[in-house]
Amino acid sequence: MQVVNVPLGQIKQTLPSNLISLQNTNHRIAIADYGSNDGLEGWLTSSGIIDSPNLIYQKFDIGEFSWSSPVAKNLASYLAPNGYGIFNLDADNFVTIHDVEMIFNLMNNNKIVHQFSGKWGDGSFGRIGLPPKSFADLSGYEERFLPMGYQDADILNRAEKHGLNVINLGAPSKEAIQNDAETKFAFCGKMNGITMNEVNKLMSECLMASGSLEASNQISKTIIKLNTKSSG
């Protein structure tokens, strides 16, 4: 499972609970710390959570790049061990062992999973699971988009166009922490959430109309290369 940015106060609520759900399993939560400055690494260390066998954590130096939800999701996916299915879990979301068993049983049978309640705005739409080959075939999330909006619908639409099997599981066992617009788009500067969603939707439709079903993931690849060099 992968986690992307939300305020530290929220991840303090969700992460301990989610790690307890994964105890004594082979499942991991991968956190891509994408340019945060709110003390996430310090809290993980002081709380001892960073030593959890079910946690993979990496802080990325993003250089001159700005925050982007699709890039953050692709960076978190990069942290997954080879051959593991990837389930996107925004950091304001909870997961239970019941959810995990359903999701990974389907992904192990080459199904793409969407655990969406059907209720817009409740935080569940981004809960998307992809087998490793499906994620690779789609090249992950589309990084040409504006920082946030429509990236989850886009990857699902591209999957269906690609002929991949998408299963909707319905609502998760536990509701996400609810966010107002200010919190939800806090990493996006002055950009309006509605506008970003509309622009990204148009871009997605244009790309698919041109026959392009593979996302551009060059930003996350560049960040990974920069961090590999700096750690070498």
Side-chain angles (χ1 to χ4, degrees):
M1 273 167 282
Q2 58 184 28
V3 168
V4 299
N5 297 57
V6 296
L8 180 59
Q10 295 188 5
I11 202 169
K12 283 182 176 180
Q13 297 178 61
T14 58
L15 183 59
S17 173
N18 292 340
L19 288 171
I20 288 171
S21 294
L22 299 185
Q23 279 183 339
N24 303 316
T25 74
N26 292 323
H27 300 292
R28 303 289 183 269
I29 291 178
I31 298 180
D33 189 339
Y34 183 23
S36 73
N37 58 5
D38 58 4
L40 172 60
E41 185 175 21
W43 171 71
L44 290 172
T45 302
S46 64
S47 66
I49 287 175
I50 201 164
D51 297 319
S52 168
N54 297 104
L55 180 68
I56 301 170
Y57 169 80
Q58 182 168 336
K59 187 166 189 173
F60 289 93
D61 179 355
I62 64 172
E64 299 300 315
F65 292 108
S66 299
W67 186 84
S68 157
S69 180
V71 176
K73 291 176 188 238
N74 286 340
L75 287 173
S77 300
Y78 160 76
L79 299 177
N82 287 337
Y84 273 63
I86 295 162
F87 181 67
N88 179 69
L89 188 75
D90 290 347
D92 53 3
N93 274 238
F94 294 92
V95 69
T96 67
I97 190 61
H98 174 68
D99 294 324
V100 169
E101 289 174 349
M102 283 197 305
I103 290 160
F104 282 87
N105 282 341
L106 287 165
M107 285 202 291
N108 289 339
N109 285 290
N110 295 316
K111 309 293 185 185
I112 294 175
V113 177
H114 191 203
Q115 196 178 30
F116 173 45
S117 67
K119 181 181 176 183
W120 292 100
D122 72 348
S124 67
F125 190 81
R127 297 172 68 105
I128 299 169
L130 299 102
K133 185 177 184 307
S134 299
F135 192 86
D137 286 346
L138 297 168
S139 297
Y141 289 83
E142 177 54 70
E143 298 178 0
R144 286 171 285 194
F145 287 169
L146 295 177
M148 196 171 182
Y150 207 73
Q151 68 278 341
D152 299 314
D154 171 75
I155 199 169
L156 290 170
N157 290 339
R158 287 187 289 115
E160 290 181 342
K161 285 275 189 180
H162 207 284
L164 301 173
N165 198 348
V166 179
I167 304 294
N168 192 332
L169 287 181
S173 300
K174 191 172 181 179
E175 189 178 53
I177 297 170
Q178 298 305 292
N179 289 309
D180 56 23
E182 182 180 355
T183 302
K184 188 177 293 186
F185 302 111
F187 298 97
C188 303
K190 296 181 179 180
M191 295 188 192
N192 178 278
I194 294 173
T195 300
M196 286 190 292
N197 194 77
E198 290 175 349
V199 170
N200 290 344
K201 181 175 185 290
L202 287 171
M203 191 182 302
S204 172
E205 290 170 350
C206 288
L207 288 168
M208 283 199 292
S210 71
S212 176
L213 297 180
E214 290 186 26
S216 171
N217 55 15
Q218 292 306 307
I219 296 175
S220 57
K221 284 184 175 180
T222 300
I223 291 172
I224 290 164
K225 285 180 182 178
L226 289 173
N227 283 264
T228 301
K229 287 179 182 178
S230 64
S231 63

